[in-house]
Amino acid sequence: MAEETARKHKVMGICAGMHNGNGEIALKAALARLQEKGADVELVNLFDYNILPCTGCEGCTMQMGAIAQDPTKEYKGCVLKDKDDVDRLVAEMHTCNGVLIAVPSYDLQPSSLYTRFAQRFLAYELSFLLSIGVVKENPHTVAGLIAVGGSKHDWQTLTLESLQATMFTMSLTVVDRYMITRSARPGSVLTFPDQMERVVKMADNVWQAMETPVEERTWLGDPDDGVCPNCHSSLVYPGDPHWDGVEFPWECAVCGAGGDLVTDENGKPRLKIAENGLIRDRNDDKARAEHLNEIIKTRIEFMQKRDSIQDEYKRYCKMEFPTV
């Protein structure tokens, strides 16, 4: 039975912190719990891999747009795929049923090592790769997210939200998230047994989600976490008109849910999602595809105007200034 379960559930732990640091320790505790339950687990520390930054060439989205118009075209992927380790890391991720990610907080945000990795995800968007047959089977991967910082929430305010914002292109469903606090030095988290217990609880939640039919999966973390009831982000902002005119009074900065900001019975602010407030839900592959339409339309509009700015563009291209 254990062998059958191990083949069924495969979990990758991804750490963007130092070896033997608090993030890696937290991941090891969670992975050990999942291994006890019968999962096949693996641990990736991004410090051990060559990860080049996205060049911003737009080669991936241009290919996606071309294939949308002509499905017979071949998708060649990221221009960097044979130059570093991202291709094989993402290919491995696409075989996993669960992912646990631990990142340290630097200046309120996730470490640049993690964001460098995640900002390459667009070329590997799972829903697109499934639609063209590059990936044969949807693993319906669930995720647990861990932020690690030496301070409290006030110095980690963008970490979990930024981490969540990297989940969409991989179609990763976040079922739990947790912020480790007051843990700066390697091993500090071990002085907070409650935090270690919470990480193990996250492993239990990831296991429960993997054991649950895809259509019945739901949030398993703290029900009062965050302001957005859709993704549990703490970040909402006054809405602006979208490229096609869609607009909400308030929107979640992470998932894009739209609605009104209200106060619940306990006096806590909450986003009350409008009846159509999930039409831009970035967790939904179909809703997120609208962004690709936006990219294509924006590119077409530029091509129509490109000739009018060529002289000015060349003038700026020729400008040179002293550098360091």
Side-chain angles (χ1 to χ4, degrees):
M1 183 66 180
E3 290 183 1
E4 292 178 3
T5 306
R7 287 196 298 270
K8 180 181 178 182
H9 296 316
K10 180 179 179 181
V11 181
M12 174 188 284
I14 300 174
C15 180
M18 63 188 297
H19 284 293
N20 301 316
N22 295 301
E24 195 173 83
I25 289 172
L27 280 181
K28 287 179 177 179
L31 292 175
R33 178 67 155 213
L34 288 162
Q35 194 172 49
E36 289 173 5
K37 289 177 173 290
D40 182 10
V41 304
E42 56 192 7
L43 176 59
V44 168
N45 190 307
L46 296 181
F47 273 109
D48 296 333
Y49 299 87
N50 178 27
I51 299 172
L52 296 173
C54 173
T55 66
C57 72
E58 294 191 83
C60 58
T61 57
M62 286 191 285
Q63 290 181 79
M64 290 174 184
I67 292 172
Q69 296 176 319
D70 180 2
T72 65
K73 290 184 178 293
E74 179 187 359
Y75 183 62
K76 298 181 180 179
C78 180
V79 298
L80 299 175
K81 75 174 189 177
D82 296 321
K83 299 180 180 179
D84 68 356
D85 295 319
V86 170
D87 192 79
R88 69 187 181 100
L89 287 174
V90 174
E92 178 69 8
M93 192 189 305
H94 285 163
T95 70
C96 294
N97 310 108
V99 175
L100 288 161
I101 304 174
V103 300
S105 299
Y106 294 161
D107 293 325
L108 316 183
Q109 306 170 77
S111 70
S112 60
L113 176 61
Y114 177 77
T115 55
R116 172 182 281 214
F117 175 55
Q119 287 168 1
R120 293 279 301 283
F121 285 174
L122 182 56
Y124 301 92
E125 179 151 5
L126 181 59
S127 60
F128 173 71
L129 296 183
L130 284 166
S131 70
I132 63 174
V134 171
V135 176
K136 303 301 182 183
E137 183 178 351
N138 190 339
H140 296 292
T141 311
V142 299
L145 310 179
I146 303 170
V148 184
S151 192
K152 300 282 281 185
H153 191 183
D154 60 324
W155 276 96
Q156 299 192 67
T157 48
L158 303 178
T159 305
L160 283 173
E161 278 68 24
S162 297
L163 190 52
Q164 281 178 269
T166 68
M167 299 290 101
F168 312 126
T169 48
M170 292 292 102
S171 296
L172 295 168
T173 300
V174 179
V175 296
D176 195 3
R177 65 178 207 164
Y178 181 62
M179 181 180 295
I180 292 173
T181 62
R182 307 295 290 166
S183 295
R185 299 301 303 151
S188 295
V189 68
L190 296 173
T191 67
F192 298 99
D194 58 323
Q195 297 197 119
M196 291 299 294
E197 289 171 7
R198 181 60 179 82
V199 168
V200 172
K201 174 61 177 174
M202 179 181 290
D204 291 338
N205 288 339
V206 167
W207 177 266
Q208 180 180 335
M210 293 189 298
E211 288 280 280
T212 302
V214 173
E215 63 277 5
E216 297 176 17
R217 290 174 180 174
T218 186
W219 175 256
L220 297 173
D222 180 357
D224 295 321
D225 190 15
V227 175
C228 174
N230 188 45
C231 74
H232 295 269
S233 158
S234 295
L235 300 181
V236 296
Y237 70 99
D240 305 303
H242 290 241
W243 70 282
D244 56 358
V246 170
E247 184 175 5
F248 300 101
W250 291 86
E251 292 190 36
C252 173
V254 176
C255 73
D260 290 302
L261 195 60
V262 300
T263 302
D264 67 13
E265 63 276 10
N266 298 315
K268 182 175 180 178
R270 293 285 189 185
L271 181 67
K272 182 180 180 181
I273 298 176
E275 186 175 346
N276 67 334
L278 295 179
I279 61 173
R280 290 293 188 271
D281 180 10
R282 298 183 183 105
N283 296 294
D284 186 309
D285 290 347
K286 293 181 180 178
R288 196 172 63 253
E290 189 61 27
H291 181 49
L292 180 57
N293 292 333
E294 177 184 8
I295 292 172
I296 294 171
K297 183 175 176 60
T298 301
R299 185 174 294 127
I300 291 172
E301 291 174 348
F302 168 72
M303 297 301 288
Q304 292 170 342
K305 301 175 181 178
R306 183 174 60 173
D307 290 345
S308 67
I309 54 92
Q310 282 305 298
D311 290 342
E312 187 176 16
Y313 178 65
K314 290 176 181 177
R315 180 169 66 85
Y316 279 105
C317 289
K318 292 177 180 179
M319 282 187 185
E320 294 185 1
F321 295 94
T323 186
V324 176

